Amino acid sequence: MAERIYIFDTTLRDGEQAPGYSMNLEEKIRMARQLERLGVDIIEAGFAISSPGDFESVEAIAAAVEKPVVASLARALKKDIDAAWNAVKKAKHPRIHVFLATSDLHLEYKLKMSREEAIRRIRENVSYAKSLCDDIEFSCEDASRTDLEYLALAIETAIESGATTVNLPDTVGYSTPTEIAAMVGYVKTHVKNIDKAVISMHNHNDLGLAVANTLAGIEAGARQVECTVCGIGERAGNAALEEIVMALKTRGDKFGFYTNIVTEEISRSARLLSSTTGVKINPSKAIVGDNAFAHESGIHQHGMMANSLTYEIMTPESVGVVKTNLVLGKHSGQHAFSKKMQELGYNLSKEREDALFAEFKKTCDRKKNITDRDLIALVEALENPETQTWALDSFVVNSGNRMTSTACISLKKNNEKIYQEVASGTGPVYASLRCVEKIIKHPFSLEEYQLTAVTEDRDALGEVFVKISDQSGVYRGRGVSTDVIEASILACLNAVNKMLNEDSKAIGTSQSAVQMSFENDMLMGHTDKKGVDR
Ligand code: KIV
Ligand code: ZN
């Protein structure tokens, strides 16, 4: 009978550490809920001790999801374990994930610790974690470069002390599939108490081998795999969840394993990550890239028409790829709209659905055909009414090749008073952003601006993604409209509202609710937190 492989998702911890991928609290909760819909078994929600923000988001995710285990990372230190436990203890299924490096290289140069001392640390801290929480994972950081005999001793000690999952990371993405299989095989045969724990894989992608190494680890005996949506993560990233899952599913004949992943949720999960972070998915990315199921060449198209199996090893539908189909129009009522949103997997509150329906109706007046992709773009750009200080009332822009662009914009503050300003600039977007800046009286810099068409038609919606910054951090915004200038202003306001909201919170809270020490001590290693990016 096929055996189950447990999917441990670390998008919100190892993935979120990668530059460009950081998310704010609300975004992390949304992502965690999507991971729950995707059916992951374990969500590593963060590294609770690393910052008050991380602590808060691990705690919030623990409260937001029900089915998956929620884990927090902790170094083999009492204060880390306490923070991890405090953050996950209210989860329905909490886990503490303790790690310590075991390779001589890390012990000698990073930790300045003897092998014996490391074993003592493992015993002491895993036992301490076990006294707080039943579900304990222990990771030997840099396991793949650790002397095998010593690795076996470290694992045995961790299991004796209460670990029920033991993880063997290829932290620097150095190993090959045969080496990974040999390491797992060695641990299986040389660790006396290995039957009391699940072996886990955690492979980085520096040589592009993370997924191959993970599959080799599974064949050798691992039953938990650590991975991230789209393979995001430190440096070249982690093993990609969708690639592991679809390899196991598509090649069930070879592997003989199954996962509990709802594969139809894969595409939505990748899209949510991309729309949240503004990082585009590479078109050639396996499983979730735009070209993953595109058959351009005539020979392929001919084969596909005769029998799709000629060139298609899995169907787009099996990973939830949304086709551009005509869905709703001007005459569609809220009932049909609501049903469609549910079909697309959005569980909106009444207020959000009403706001989106109004937006949909406005769009119908300007664009005849509204597709699933249009609806997804609209819902993902929808402002949160609770944090929407500034909203667009009206705008007029003048632009041409023989003139300076000018913008006149009216914004509504807190749904009450209207403010208006005029500004000029070298282009219509520049003039508009200057107008917004004048009205809100809060300077900011534009860090990034991206404009894309949601669909291929001439009357496509334009989707604008911006990153703006002030002294307190970087803020992302998204706007969607048939008018690209309007989309630009909406994206800017979306980011501005986050910025003002964050700044007012910073003024209101001088003392964090969570008091912890964040000294960058020598155990911190590669898990340092980067600067604020919202
Ligand atoms: O890559 C790694 O070794 C890790 C551990 C902390 C699990 O991320
Ligand atoms: Zn890692």
Side-chain angles (χ1 to χ4, degrees):
M1 212 178 91
E3 267 190 81
R4 173 156 168 203
I5 300 297
Y6 288 84
I7 303 295
F8 177 115
D9 181 277
T10 183
T11 306
L12 295 169
R13 199 278 296 170
D14 223 347
E16 207 254 350
Q17 281 175 198
Y21 285 100
S22 61
M23 294 171 226
N24 67 25
L25 180 64
E26 196 189 324
E27 292 165 342
K28 283 185 189 173
I29 293 173
R30 207 178 317 140
M31 193 69 213
R33 291 205 169 116
Q34 177 56 30
L35 291 172
E36 182 172 35
R37 272 196 291 276
L38 178 63
V40 307
D41 299 292
I42 302 111
I43 294 177
E44 187 162 51
F47 186 8
I49 190 96
S50 69
S51 72
D54 253 45
F55 183 95
E56 196 188 347
S57 48
V58 177
E59 199 178 33
I61 290 167
V65 299
E66 286 216 334
K67 279 190 247 147
V69 170
V70 178
S72 171
L73 187 65
R75 293 167 297 178
L77 287 175
K78 191 168 176 296
K79 64 177 181 184
D80 278 41
I81 294 168
D82 283 335
W85 175 237
N86 285 328
V88 296
K89 68 182 174 200
K90 295 215 182 98
K92 204 146 188 209
H93 310 287
R95 174 181 292 189
I96 303 176
H97 178 189
V98 182
F99 77 99
L100 185 71
T102 48
S103 66
D104 287 335
L105 200 63
H106 279 233
L107 284 174
E108 186 177 340
Y109 294 99
K110 190 179 79 176
L111 303 178
K112 310 212 180 330
M113 192 185 283
S114 68
R115 284 185 174 191
E116 293 70 32
E117 171 63 8
I119 295 294
R120 265 198 302 281
R121 287 268 194 139
I122 294 171
R123 192 182 305 288
E124 196 180 302
N125 288 289
V126 173
S127 303
Y128 178 61
K130 189 73 178 182
S131 72
L132 302 171
C133 179
D134 260 356
D135 186 347
I136 303 297
E137 170 166 341
F138 178 72
S139 286
C140 294
E141 193 189 5
D142 208 21
S144 56
R145 293 191 298 171
T146 300
D147 170 63
L148 281 176
E149 220 177 293
Y150 181 65
L151 181 68
L153 176 64
I155 296 288
E156 200 168 303
T157 309
I159 298 174
E160 244 169 48
S161 313
T164 42
T165 303
V166 286
N167 187 32
L168 308 174
D170 184 26
T171 302
V172 291
Y174 177 73
S175 297
T176 65
T178 37
E179 287 169 336
I180 291 286
M183 171 176 70
V184 174
Y186 187 92
V187 166
K188 272 198 82 157
T189 48
H190 290 77
V191 175
K192 278 204 306 280
N193 49 8
I194 196 67
D195 57 314
K196 298 195 170 59
V198 173
I199 300 177
S200 170
M201 285 283 92
H202 177 114
N203 295 309
H204 279 268
N205 204 30
D206 299 65
L207 293 174
L209 292 172
V211 171
N213 284 344
T214 303
L215 296 172
I218 291 174
E219 287 193 295
R223 294 292 175 266
Q224 174 182 289
V225 294
E226 306 199 353
C227 45
T228 58
V229 175
C230 293
I232 68 165
E234 296 243 36
R235 308 181 308 279
N238 290 56
L241 179 148
E242 63 279 4
E243 294 178 24
I244 300 169
V245 168
M246 291 315 285
L248 292 176
K249 184 168 175 172
T250 310
R251 297 307 313 276
D253 58 324
K254 174 178 159 55
F255 293 109
F257 296 108
Y258 74 97
T259 69
N260 268 7
I261 293 296
V262 182
T263 59
E264 292 76 9
E265 289 291 329
I266 284 179
S267 171
R268 193 195 327 281
S269 307
R271 270 198 327 265
L272 177 62
L273 179 70
S274 167
S275 66
T276 303
T277 59
V279 182
K280 295 257 168 268
I281 304 171
N282 177 346
S284 312
K285 169 77 188 63
I287 319 292
V288 293
D290 275 352
N291 296 346
F293 294 96
H295 296 274
E296 294 288 331
S297 99
I299 295 175
H300 284 206
Q301 283 174 356
H302 176 73
M304 286 284 291
M305 277 189 298
N307 182 342
S308 61
L309 290 176
T310 49
Y311 287 102
E312 198 171 71
I313 59 167
M314 57 198 154
T315 63
E317 292 79 19
S318 69
V319 297
V321 167
V322 177
K323 297 239 180 76
T324 309
N325 44 349
L326 185 62
V327 281
L328 301 171
K330 215 180 162 107
H331 303 295
S332 307
Q334 188 151 1
H335 183 68
F337 176 81
S338 170
K339 200 157 156 254
K340 188 75 210 171
M341 290 323 291
Q342 275 163 23
E343 261 170 49
L344 290 173
Y346 293 98
N347 221 336
L348 303 173
S349 66
K350 174 90 179 75
E351 295 76 49
R352 270 178 90 71
E353 191 186 293
D354 288 351
L356 190 69
F357 187 62
E359 210 45 55
F360 161 74
K361 282 286 176 186
K362 256 201 275 170
T363 311
C364 287
D365 285 339
R366 295 165 161 190
K367 183 178 182 331
K368 205 163 136 228
N369 299 339
I370 308 284
T371 67
D372 286 355
R373 276 155 68 191
D374 294 323
L375 287 175
I376 291 168
L378 286 172
V379 71
E380 285 171 3
L382 193 67
E383 273 269 17
N384 178 355
E386 278 164 31
T387 52
Q388 189 177 22
T389 310
W390 292 99
L392 177 63
D393 179 55
S394 65
F395 74 96
V396 177
V397 164
N398 260 311
S399 182
N401 62 342
R402 291 175 191 247
M403 63 186 290
T404 302
S405 299
T406 54
C408 173
I409 297 186
S410 300
L411 299 182
K412 216 179 219 181
K413 189 174 186 186
N414 294 325
N415 216 7
E416 284 167 4
K417 203 166 159 204
I418 296 206
Y419 295 77
Q420 192 174 59
E421 279 291 350
V422 178
S424 59
T426 47
V429 172
Y430 182 24
S432 303
L433 299 199
R434 281 183 79 175
C435 244
V436 170
E437 202 174 29
K438 274 169 96 175
I439 295 176
I440 66 166
K441 296 192 170 54
H442 185 116
F444 59 83
S445 310
L446 182 66
E447 304 281 336
E448 207 179 310
Y449 176 92
Q450 288 173 27
L451 166 63
T452 40
V454 172
T455 50
E456 292 76 23
D457 354 275
R458 281 194 189 190
D459 68 347
L461 288 174
E463 183 172 31
V464 172
F465 171 84
V466 295
K467 260 189 193 177
I468 63 168
S469 66
D470 69 357
Q471 69 293 341
S472 67
V474 180
Y475 304 86
R476 291 184 286 254
R478 182 174 300 279
V480 173
S481 170
T482 47
D483 181 315
V484 296
I485 303 301
E486 183 172 16
S488 305
I489 300 169
L490 291 173
C492 174
L493 289 176
N494 185 220
V496 157
N497 286 330
K498 290 180 191 168
M499 174 175 77
L500 299 179
N501 200 38
E502 207 54 43
D503 286 356
S504 65
K505 264 201 278 179
I507 294 163
T509 45
S510 54
Q511 195 75 17
S512 160
V514 191
Q515 276 300 337
M516 290 177 295
S517 61
F518 306 114
E519 74 274 28
N520 184 9
D521 62 48
M522 61 184 186
L523 280 169
M524 198 67 175
H526 75 287
T527 44
D528 271 353
K529 279 305 271 186
K530 65 218 159 292
V532 192
D533 180 356
R534 298 177 180 92

